[in-house]
PDB file of all heavy atoms in Angstrom:
ATOM      1  N   ASP R 810      78.749  80.998 104.853  1.00 98.00           N
ATOM      2  CA  ASP R 810      79.158  81.603 106.217  1.00 98.00           C
ATOM      3  C   ASP R 810      79.154  80.571 107.294  1.00 98.00           C
ATOM      4  O   ASP R 810      78.342  79.672 107.320  1.00 98.00           O
ATOM      5  CB  ASP R 810      77.865  82.532 106.532  1.00 98.00           C
ATOM      6  CG  ASP R 810      78.288  83.589 107.594  1.00 98.00           C
ATOM      7  OD1 ASP R 810      78.737  83.104 108.687  1.00 98.00           O
ATOM      8  OD2 ASP R 810      77.920  84.690 107.379  1.00 98.00           O
ATOM      9  N   ILE R 811      80.244  80.614 108.108  1.00 98.00           N
ATOM     10  CA  ILE R 811      80.308  79.652 109.185  1.00 98.00           C
ATOM     11  C   ILE R 811      79.082  79.658 110.123  1.00 98.00           C
ATOM     12  O   ILE R 811      78.849  78.722 110.849  1.00 98.00           O
ATOM     13  CB  ILE R 811      81.597  79.883 110.065  1.00 98.00           C
ATOM     14  CG1 ILE R 811      81.789  81.308 110.593  1.00 98.00           C
ATOM     15  CG2 ILE R 811      82.871  79.447 109.262  1.00 98.00           C
ATOM     16  CD1 ILE R 811      82.687  81.413 111.707  1.00 98.00           C
ATOM     17  N   GLY R 812      78.428  80.866 110.138  1.00 98.00           N
ATOM     18  CA  GLY R 812      77.196  80.962 110.979  1.00 98.00           C
ATOM     19  C   GLY R 812      75.929  80.411 110.317  1.00 98.00           C
ATOM     20  O   GLY R 812      74.785  80.459 110.923  1.00 98.00           O
ATOM     21  N   ASP R 813      76.032  79.909 109.113  1.00 98.00           N
ATOM     22  CA  ASP R 813      74.835  79.293 108.421  1.00 98.00           C
ATOM     23  C   ASP R 813      74.721  77.840 108.884  1.00 98.00           C
ATOM     24  O   ASP R 813      75.319  76.973 108.245  1.00 98.00           O
ATOM     25  CB  ASP R 813      75.129  79.330 106.868  1.00 98.00           C
ATOM     26  CG  ASP R 813      73.926  78.820 106.034  1.00 98.00           C
ATOM     27  OD1 ASP R 813      73.122  78.057 106.675  1.00 98.00           O
ATOM     28  OD2 ASP R 813      73.953  79.178 104.867  1.00 98.00           O
ATOM     29  N   THR R 814      73.988  77.579 109.873  1.00 98.00           N
ATOM     30  CA  THR R 814      73.929  76.332 110.473  1.00 98.00           C
ATOM     31  C   THR R 814      73.380  75.167 109.582  1.00 98.00           C
ATOM     32  O   THR R 814      73.858  74.083 109.524  1.00 98.00           O
ATOM     33  CB  THR R 814      72.969  76.301 111.622  1.00 98.00           C
ATOM     34  OG1 THR R 814      73.499  77.367 112.659  1.00 98.00           O
ATOM     35  CG2 THR R 814      72.953  75.030 112.498  1.00 98.00           C
ATOM     36  N   ALA R 815      72.396  75.557 108.687  1.00 98.00           N
ATOM     37  CA  ALA R 815      71.876  74.526 107.784  1.00 98.00           C
ATOM     38  C   ALA R 815      72.907  74.087 106.842  1.00 98.00           C
ATOM     39  O   ALA R 815      73.215  72.820 106.571  1.00 98.00           O
ATOM     40  CB  ALA R 815      70.656  75.097 106.991  1.00 98.00           C
ATOM     41  N   LEU R 816      73.730  74.972 106.270  1.00 98.00           N
ATOM     42  CA  LEU R 816      74.884  74.741 105.325  1.00 98.00           C
ATOM     43  C   LEU R 816      75.931  73.797 106.126  1.00 98.00           C
ATOM     44  O   LEU R 816      76.397  72.847 105.581  1.00 98.00           O
ATOM     45  CB  LEU R 816      75.498  75.980 104.831  1.00 98.00           C
ATOM     46  CG  LEU R 816      76.713  75.709 103.967  1.00 98.00           C
ATOM     47  CD1 LEU R 816      76.463  74.914 102.699  1.00 98.00           C
ATOM     48  CD2 LEU R 816      77.309  77.167 103.610  1.00 98.00           C
ATOM     49  N   VAL R 817      76.321  74.316 107.324  1.00 98.00           N
ATOM     50  CA  VAL R 817      77.372  73.627 108.035  1.00 98.00           C
ATOM     51  C   VAL R 817      76.871  72.172 108.371  1.00 98.00           C
ATOM     52  O   VAL R 817      77.671  71.290 108.183  1.00 98.00           O
ATOM     53  CB  VAL R 817      77.744  74.470 109.316  1.00 98.00           C
ATOM     54  CG1 VAL R 817      78.680  73.633 110.199  1.00 98.00           C
ATOM     55  CG2 VAL R 817      78.400  75.741 109.002  1.00 98.00           C
ATOM     56  N   ASP R 818      75.567  72.062 108.802  1.00 98.00           N
ATOM     57  CA  ASP R 818      75.067  70.734 109.177  1.00 98.00           C
ATOM     58  C   ASP R 818      75.208  69.734 107.924  1.00 98.00           C
ATOM     59  O   ASP R 818      75.815  68.705 107.982  1.00 98.00           O
ATOM     60  CB  ASP R 818      73.624  70.721 109.429  1.00 98.00           C
ATOM     61  CG  ASP R 818      73.302  71.307 110.802  1.00 98.00           C
ATOM     62  OD1 ASP R 818      74.256  71.439 111.631  1.00 98.00           O
ATOM     63  OD2 ASP R 818      72.150  71.657 111.100  1.00 98.00           O
ATOM     64  N   GLU R 819      74.903  70.245 106.755  1.00 97.00           N
ATOM     65  CA  GLU R 819      74.999  69.504 105.518  1.00 97.00           C
ATOM     66  C   GLU R 819      76.437  69.105 105.145  1.00 97.00           C
ATOM     67  O   GLU R 819      76.631  68.003 104.810  1.00 97.00           O
ATOM     68  CB  GLU R 819      74.348  70.313 104.329  1.00 97.00           C
ATOM     69  CG  GLU R 819      74.197  69.676 103.087  1.00 97.00           C
ATOM     70  CD  GLU R 819      73.818  70.566 101.885  1.00 97.00           C
ATOM     71  OE1 GLU R 819      73.196  71.535 102.120  1.00 97.00           O
ATOM     72  OE2 GLU R 819      74.292  70.195 100.734  1.00 97.00           O
ATOM     73  N   LEU R 820      77.377  70.013 105.335  1.00 98.00           N
ATOM     74  CA  LEU R 820      78.727  69.843 105.011  1.00 98.00           C
ATOM     75  C   LEU R 820      79.262  68.727 105.974  1.00 98.00           C
ATOM     76  O   LEU R 820      80.005  67.888 105.542  1.00 98.00           O
ATOM     77  CB  LEU R 820      79.566  71.105 105.102  1.00 98.00           C
ATOM     78  CG  LEU R 820      79.283  72.232 104.041  1.00 98.00           C
ATOM     79  CD1 LEU R 820      80.070  73.488 104.317  1.00 98.00           C
ATOM     80  CD2 LEU R 820      79.670  71.665 102.547  1.00 98.00           C
ATOM     81  N   LEU R 821      78.988  68.907 107.204  1.00 98.00           N
ATOM     82  CA  LEU R 821      79.494  67.976 108.214  1.00 98.00           C
ATOM     83  C   LEU R 821      78.991  66.537 107.896  1.00 98.00           C
ATOM     84  O   LEU R 821      79.782  65.532 107.970  1.00 98.00           O
ATOM     85  CB  LEU R 821      79.205  68.424 109.598  1.00 98.00           C
ATOM     86  CG  LEU R 821      79.951  69.707 110.033  1.00 98.00           C
ATOM     87  CD1 LEU R 821      79.516  70.182 111.506  1.00 98.00           C
ATOM     88  CD2 LEU R 821      81.417  69.454 110.149  1.00 98.00           C
ATOM     89  N   GLU R 822      77.614  66.377 107.656  1.00 97.00           N
ATOM     90  CA  GLU R 822      77.074  65.148 107.397  1.00 97.00           C
ATOM     91  C   GLU R 822      77.753  64.498 106.080  1.00 97.00           C
ATOM     92  O   GLU R 822      78.018  63.323 106.145  1.00 97.00           O
ATOM     93  CB  GLU R 822      75.605  65.315 107.190  1.00 97.00           C
ATOM     94  CG  GLU R 822      74.787  65.552 108.405  1.00 97.00           C
ATOM     95  CD  GLU R 822      74.904  64.399 109.445  1.00 97.00           C
ATOM     96  OE1 GLU R 822      75.069  63.202 108.998  1.00 97.00           O
ATOM     97  OE2 GLU R 822      74.934  64.656 110.701  1.00 97.00           O
ATOM     98  N   ASN R 823      77.829  65.355 105.030  1.00 96.00           N
ATOM     99  CA  ASN R 823      78.354  64.792 103.847  1.00 96.00           C
ATOM    100  C   ASN R 823      79.753  64.423 103.785  1.00 96.00           C
ATOM    101  O   ASN R 823      80.170  63.488 103.160  1.00 96.00           O
ATOM    102  CB  ASN R 823      78.064  65.782 102.657  1.00 96.00           C
ATOM    103  CG  ASN R 823      76.592  65.806 102.340  1.00 96.00           C
ATOM    104  OD1 ASN R 823      75.728  65.019 102.836  1.00 96.00           O
ATOM    105  ND2 ASN R 823      76.191  66.732 101.585  1.00 96.00           N
ATOM    106  N   TYR R 824      80.571  65.289 104.534  1.00 97.00           N
ATOM    107  CA  TYR R 824      82.071  65.138 104.323  1.00 97.00           C
ATOM    108  C   TYR R 824      82.804  64.603 105.605  1.00 97.00           C
ATOM    109  O   TYR R 824      83.941  64.195 105.479  1.00 97.00           O
ATOM    110  CB  TYR R 824      82.629  66.574 104.026  1.00 97.00           C
ATOM    111  CG  TYR R 824      82.208  66.838 102.568  1.00 97.00           C
ATOM    112  CD1 TYR R 824      81.265  67.796 102.289  1.00 97.00           C
ATOM    113  CD2 TYR R 824      82.934  66.338 101.452  1.00 97.00           C
ATOM    114  CE1 TYR R 824      80.888  68.030 100.986  1.00 97.00           C
ATOM    115  CE2 TYR R 824      82.707  66.593 100.206  1.00 97.00           C
ATOM    116  CZ  TYR R 824      81.624  67.489  99.920  1.00 97.00           C
ATOM    117  OH  TYR R 824      81.239  67.879  98.692  1.00 97.00           O
ATOM    118  N   ALA R 825      82.141  64.564 106.694  1.00 97.00           N
ATOM    119  CA  ALA R 825      82.689  63.927 107.960  1.00 97.00           C
ATOM    120  C   ALA R 825      84.178  64.265 108.119  1.00 97.00           C
ATOM    121  O   ALA R 825      85.052  63.341 108.015  1.00 97.00           O
ATOM    122  CB  ALA R 825      82.425  62.515 107.979  1.00 97.00           C
ATOM    123  N   PRO R 826      84.569  65.511 108.317  1.00 98.00           N
ATOM    124  CA  PRO R 826      86.069  65.726 108.458  1.00 98.00           C
ATOM    125  C   PRO R 826      86.708  65.223 109.577  1.00 98.00           C
ATOM    126  O   PRO R 826      86.036  65.073 110.750  1.00 98.00           O
ATOM    127  CB  PRO R 826      86.035  67.316 108.524  1.00 98.00           C
ATOM    128  CG  PRO R 826      84.733  67.734 109.071  1.00 98.00           C
ATOM    129  CD  PRO R 826      83.724  66.808 108.554  1.00 98.00           C
ATOM    130  N   GLU R 827      88.032  64.876 109.503  1.00 98.00           N
ATOM    131  CA  GLU R 827      88.809  64.459 110.625  1.00 98.00           C
ATOM    132  C   GLU R 827      89.207  65.570 111.587  1.00 98.00           C
ATOM    133  O   GLU R 827      89.489  65.382 112.738  1.00 98.00           O
ATOM    134  CB  GLU R 827      90.088  63.733 110.244  1.00 98.00           C
ATOM    135  CG  GLU R 827      89.952  62.196 109.894  1.00 98.00           C
ATOM    136  CD  GLU R 827      89.213  61.990 108.599  1.00 98.00           C
ATOM    137  OE1 GLU R 827      89.164  62.915 107.712  1.00 98.00           O
ATOM    138  OE2 GLU R 827      88.691  60.836 108.430  1.00 98.00           O
ATOM    139  N   ALA R 828      89.187  66.860 111.062  1.00 98.00           N
ATOM    140  CA  ALA R 828      89.497  67.975 111.796  1.00 98.00           C
ATOM    141  C   ALA R 828      88.896  69.183 111.138  1.00 98.00           C
ATOM    142  O   ALA R 828      88.603  69.270 109.976  1.00 98.00           O
ATOM    143  CB  ALA R 828      90.985  68.245 111.808  1.00 98.00           C
ATOM    144  N   ILE R 829      88.637  70.239 111.993  1.00 99.00           N
ATOM    145  CA  ILE R 829      88.174  71.577 111.471  1.00 99.00           C
ATOM    146  C   ILE R 829      89.257  72.545 111.902  1.00 99.00           C
ATOM    147  O   ILE R 829      89.768  72.533 112.961  1.00 99.00           O
ATOM    148  CB  ILE R 829      86.771  72.069 112.101  1.00 99.00           C
ATOM    149  CG1 ILE R 829      85.739  70.999 111.652  1.00 99.00           C
ATOM    150  CG2 ILE R 829      86.546  73.487 111.691  1.00 99.00           C
ATOM    151  CD1 ILE R 829      84.372  71.316 112.330  1.00 99.00           C
ATOM    152  N   ILE R 830      89.673  73.444 110.823  1.00 99.00           N
ATOM    153  CA  ILE R 830      90.594  74.454 111.195  1.00 99.00           C
ATOM    154  C   ILE R 830      89.926  75.777 110.857  1.00 99.00           C
ATOM    155  O   ILE R 830      89.634  76.049 109.653  1.00 99.00           O
ATOM    156  CB  ILE R 830      91.983  74.299 110.390  1.00 99.00           C
ATOM    157  CG1 ILE R 830      92.538  72.877 110.688  1.00 99.00           C
ATOM    158  CG2 ILE R 830      92.975  75.378 110.753  1.00 99.00           C
ATOM    159  CD1 ILE R 830      92.321  71.852 109.738  1.00 99.00           C
ATOM    160  N   ASN R 831      89.707  76.663 111.861  1.00 99.00           N
ATOM    161  CA  ASN R 831      88.869  77.725 111.749  1.00 99.00           C
ATOM    162  C   ASN R 831      89.654  78.994 111.524  1.00 99.00           C
ATOM    163  O   ASN R 831      90.137  79.623 112.548  1.00 99.00           O
ATOM    164  CB  ASN R 831      87.910  77.948 112.912  1.00 99.00           C
ATOM    165  CG  ASN R 831      87.006  79.182 112.754  1.00 99.00           C
ATOM    166  OD1 ASN R 831      86.337  79.348 111.736  1.00 99.00           O
ATOM    167  ND2 ASN R 831      86.841  80.013 113.748  1.00 99.00           N
ATOM    168  N   PHE R 832      89.852  79.481 110.336  1.00 99.00           N
ATOM    169  CA  PHE R 832      90.558  80.721 110.096  1.00 99.00           C
ATOM    170  C   PHE R 832      89.558  81.843 109.877  1.00 99.00           C
ATOM    171  O   PHE R 832      89.862  83.061 109.931  1.00 99.00           O
ATOM    172  CB  PHE R 832      91.399  80.648 108.731  1.00 99.00           C
ATOM    173  CG  PHE R 832      92.508  79.822 108.765  1.00 99.00           C
ATOM    174  CD1 PHE R 832      92.431  78.395 108.396  1.00 99.00           C
ATOM    175  CD2 PHE R 832      93.784  80.151 109.150  1.00 99.00           C
ATOM    176  CE1 PHE R 832      93.546  77.547 108.362  1.00 99.00           C
ATOM    177  CE2 PHE R 832      94.884  79.351 109.211  1.00 99.00           C
ATOM    178  CZ  PHE R 832      94.712  77.996 108.761  1.00 99.00           C
ATOM    179  N   ALA R 833      88.317  81.470 109.548  1.00 99.00           N
ATOM    180  CA  ALA R 833      87.330  82.486 109.046  1.00 99.00           C
ATOM    181  C   ALA R 833      87.131  83.630 110.148  1.00 99.00           C
ATOM    182  O   ALA R 833      86.832  83.271 111.356  1.00 99.00           O
ATOM    183  CB  ALA R 833      85.970  81.843 108.884  1.00 99.00           C
ATOM    184  N   ALA R 834      87.309  84.863 109.828  1.00 98.00           N
ATOM    185  CA  ALA R 834      87.031  85.886 110.715  1.00 98.00           C
ATOM    186  C   ALA R 834      87.100  87.278 109.994  1.00 98.00           C
ATOM    187  O   ALA R 834      87.756  87.310 108.808  1.00 98.00           O
ATOM    188  CB  ALA R 834      88.063  85.958 111.832  1.00 98.00           C
ATOM    189  N   GLU R 835      86.517  88.331 110.502  1.00 98.00           N
ATOM    190  CA  GLU R 835      86.961  89.624 110.151  1.00 98.00           C
ATOM    191  C   GLU R 835      88.252  89.858 110.757  1.00 98.00           C
ATOM    192  O   GLU R 835      88.350  89.598 111.954  1.00 98.00           O
ATOM    193  CB  GLU R 835      85.787  90.698 110.632  1.00 98.00           C
ATOM    194  CG  GLU R 835      84.538  90.614 109.914  1.00 98.00           C
ATOM    195  CD  GLU R 835      84.632  91.062 108.415  1.00 98.00           C
ATOM    196  OE1 GLU R 835      85.494  91.769 108.157  1.00 98.00           O
ATOM    197  OE2 GLU R 835      83.812  90.550 107.615  1.00 98.00           O
TER     198      GLU R 835
END
Side-chain angles (χ1 to χ4, degrees):
D810 194 314
I811 56 166
D813 179 344
T814 303
L816 172 64
V817 171
D818 286 346
E819 188 190 333
L820 293 175
L821 291 173
E822 285 301 327
N823 288 349
Y824 290 97
E827 272 75 18
I829 294 178
I830 302 100
N831 182 48
F832 293 94
E835 288 292 333

